[in-house]
Amino acid sequence: MSNSEDPLGPVKKQGQEREILIDGGDRRILAQGSICDLRLSFSMQEWQRFAMSHNSFGHLFRVTTFGESHGPALGCVVDGCPPGLALDESDLQPWLDTRRPGQNRFVTQRREADRVQILSGTCAENPGEKPRTTGTPIALLIANEDQRSADYDAIKTAFRPGHADYAYWAKYGFRDPRGGGRASARETAARVAAGGVARLALAALYGESLRIRGALVAMGGDAIDRANWDWAACGENPFFCPDRDAALRYERLLDDARKAGSSLGAVVEIRAEGVPAGLGAPLYGKLDSDLAGAMMGINAVKGVEIGSGFALAAMRGEDAADEMRMGSDGGPVFRSNHNGGVLGGISSGQDIVVRCAVKPTSSILIPRRSVTQDGTETMIRTTGRHDPCVGIRAVPVAEAMMALVLVDHALRHRAQTGMSGPLGHFGNPE
Ligand SMILES: Cc1cc2nc3c(=O)[nH]c(=O)nc-3n(C[C@H](O)[C@H](O)[C@H](O)COP(=O)(O)O)c2cc1C
């Protein structure tokens, strides 16, 4: 970007310092990427523009993840969790177990226990009591136990088409090829652990009626029959698929793709029920834009829709508008949910519905054309252990992202309005 295009005003280099002149002559100095002069007040947008490393997520419930695929461990720090929540590892482990690799032939064969350890931020008031959050940062650690870095020798200097190898190298000039380094979805284990903490905080704020669930609703272009939807089925097959018939088809589909050295894409749907009306903010803190950003931030997600999403573009106004009537409990109810539970960037009290398009795994055995770091054209056949359909394990990750966005908005709503819940009661179609 040239100086004249910079919305913050002209930029000039001074040795190691980058000097930015703001309208009116105010001045901020960035030295080697850090902000040294904090006299001016920053809007959140401006702050994020300067935050170089982007490993943190959320505003009041803020998660910073660390670690890569083949390092000794990965984890996160959850900052801003309300105090007093009963929390130990047993609250988080079940969520991690749903994302864990190596559980069947349809996911990567990497063997990781994904045991989470809480390092800080909780304390038992009396001996023998369950620890409770203290309101201080909660550090969560998950060891990497089954790295096989030699599998990645072939991509030390060549770029896997469709993976992040080239983009990381182009940006940083240096990359960790072992398992994809930081671009590996190993990192999402930390998000799932943080999501477990978020779920506890949401339960404390809104009770157990707030429920976040996810499902795989299409694989390889083959969609489920929504009339067959049964949440119980998600726990019975290896795909988190709510349609038992479709799950049987997916077994064959994915076996064929895997044996051919290929991979398949998928669509993941996440629903949050029992979310009160009122979460979200106009205009730059919209709940739906934050959800879309969070879901897009998941590895391999290339499309996100809220409610009826892209189908809305083909609908007529009278069909797309979610009509309202008064319900039996004295609150309004909606007669449809094309808007996915978000109106004007604020939750309407209906189920929040988000779908993610997850691309097929790029690391495949079928040889693909690529180039090396020194500019030589080459062919790449990616060996090693990979998910043949990353959409499957994306389900618990997307559930966690939903929980993280909702808890952050819940705390922001409380901070601004002094209320946890909505002014009025709104509901789903009767
Ligand atoms: C749960 C999960 C597991 C994944 N496993 C693999 C994998 O085994 N091999 C692979 O090439 N990509 C895998 N991915 C996708 C890559 O991490 C992703 O494609 C890569 O970081 C490039 O980012 P992008 O696809 O978002 O552009 C996985 C993604 C998720 C969500």
Side-chain angles (χ1 to χ4, degrees):
M1 183 184 277
S2 75
N3 286 351
S4 58
E5 288 170 51
D6 193 317
L8 289 178
V11 175
K12 66 178 180 187
K13 291 242 160 96
Q14 282 191 343
Q16 288 288 12
E17 293 182 344
R18 181 171 184 265
E19 191 173 280
I20 297 178
L21 300 177
I22 313 273
D23 290 347
D26 285 344
R27 183 198 249 190
R28 297 171 210 186
I29 298 173
L30 305 182
Q32 295 174 324
S34 66
I35 298 169
C36 298
D37 186 343
L38 290 174
R39 279 171 304 169
L40 294 159
S41 63
F42 283 75
S43 75
M44 193 50 76
Q45 264 81 21
E46 282 179 317
W47 179 262
Q48 285 177 335
R49 209 174 109 81
F50 289 125
M52 290 287 288
S53 42
H54 297 287
N55 291 292
S56 301
F57 175 79
H59 297 262
L60 296 190
F61 193 98
R62 193 157 173 81
V63 178
T64 301
T65 73
F66 61 86
E68 44 278 309
S69 183
H70 287 203
L74 50 89
C76 63
V77 175
V78 179
D79 199 6
C81 181
L85 306 179
L87 171 68
D88 65 19
E89 282 85 354
S90 69
D91 295 301
L92 308 181
Q93 198 57 50
W95 305 115
L96 281 155
D97 289 346
T98 59
R99 198 215 68 103
R100 193 157 55 82
Q103 302 193 70
N104 56 63
R105 70 181 188 277
F106 301 110
V107 297
T108 171
Q109 294 307 299
R110 182 167 168 169
R111 303 276 162 186
E112 294 286 354
D114 278 356
R115 289 261 156 255
V116 63
Q117 195 187 351
I118 299 175
L119 300 182
S120 69
T122 62
C123 177
E125 209 162 20
N126 297 300
E129 284 181 6
K130 187 166 176 174
R132 291 197 286 138
T133 57
T134 55
T136 59
I138 301 169
L140 305 174
L141 193 72
I142 301 157
N144 284 326
E145 294 168 343
D146 187 24
Q147 307 94 319
R148 266 202 233 150
S149 300
D151 285 348
Y152 295 87
D153 284 351
I155 60 151
K156 264 187 183 154
T157 56
F159 307 118
R160 279 171 296 175
H163 212 288
D165 305 334
Y166 170 69
Y168 268 53
W169 181 76
K171 180 174 178 67
Y172 301 109
F174 179 73
R175 70 190 166 99
D176 177 357
R178 302 163 309 155
R182 183 78 179 149
S184 160
R186 273 299 290 151
E187 183 269 352
T188 60
R191 303 190 203 192
V192 171
V197 182
R199 285 179 194 260
L200 285 179
L202 284 169
L205 285 167
Y206 300 124
E208 297 295 333
S209 56
L210 195 156
R211 186 145 65 152
I212 297 167
R213 292 186 284 189
L216 186 142
V217 297
M219 184 191 287
D222 179 353
I224 64 159
D225 179 349
R226 298 184 83 85
N228 291 344
W229 191 299
D230 179 358
W231 281 111
C234 294
E236 296 166 6
N237 61 69
F239 310 113
F240 303 111
C241 180
D243 173 355
R244 292 183 177 84
D245 295 343
L248 291 175
R249 297 199 301 275
Y250 296 165
E251 281 198 21
R252 285 193 298 276
L253 256 181
L254 198 51
D255 269 336
D256 289 349
R258 207 167 41 88
K259 285 173 191 160
S262 184
S263 62
L264 296 177
V267 178
V268 165
E269 181 167 317
I270 309 298
R271 281 179 174 261
E273 298 154 55
V275 178
L279 303 192
L283 290 163
Y284 303 107
K286 287 186 170 184
L287 183 59
D288 42 0
S289 60
D290 282 359
L291 282 169
M295 298 301 170
M296 272 293 196
I298 300 173
N299 315 41
V301 170
K302 289 293 172 185
V304 177
E305 58 178 15
I306 313 279
S308 297
F310 275 77
L312 274 166
M315 289 173 75
R316 292 177 64 88
E318 65 272 28
D319 300 321
D322 297 317
E323 289 186 294
M324 298 167 79
R325 277 279 171 256
M326 288 309 292
S328 47
D329 65 353
V333 290
F334 292 87
R335 294 174 54 78
S336 58
N337 190 11
H338 295 300
N339 288 282
V342 187
L343 293 165
I346 298 174
S347 60
S348 65
Q350 295 182 274
D351 288 358
I352 297 190
V353 184
V354 181
R355 269 182 299 281
C356 306
V358 189
K359 75 186 191 185
T361 324
S362 53
S363 303
I364 51 173
L365 288 169
I366 296 176
R368 301 280 82 198
R369 280 172 280 203
S370 186
V371 296
T372 62
Q373 279 172 208
D374 63 7
T376 309
E377 292 184 350
T378 185
M379 295 295 286
I380 287 203
R381 183 176 172 271
T382 308
T383 54
R385 299 162 296 175
H386 296 280
D387 286 280
C389 172
V390 301
I392 301 170
R393 292 173 59 236
V395 173
V397 181
E399 287 180 1
M401 295 312 283
M402 172 74 90
L404 289 168
V405 171
L406 290 181
V407 76
D408 190 43
H409 271 281
L411 296 180
R412 285 152 73 181
H413 176 66
R414 197 172 64 168
Q416 188 188 13
T417 65
M419 299 181 291
S420 299
L423 277 177
H425 167 78
F426 287 70
N428 280 307
E430 283 188 319

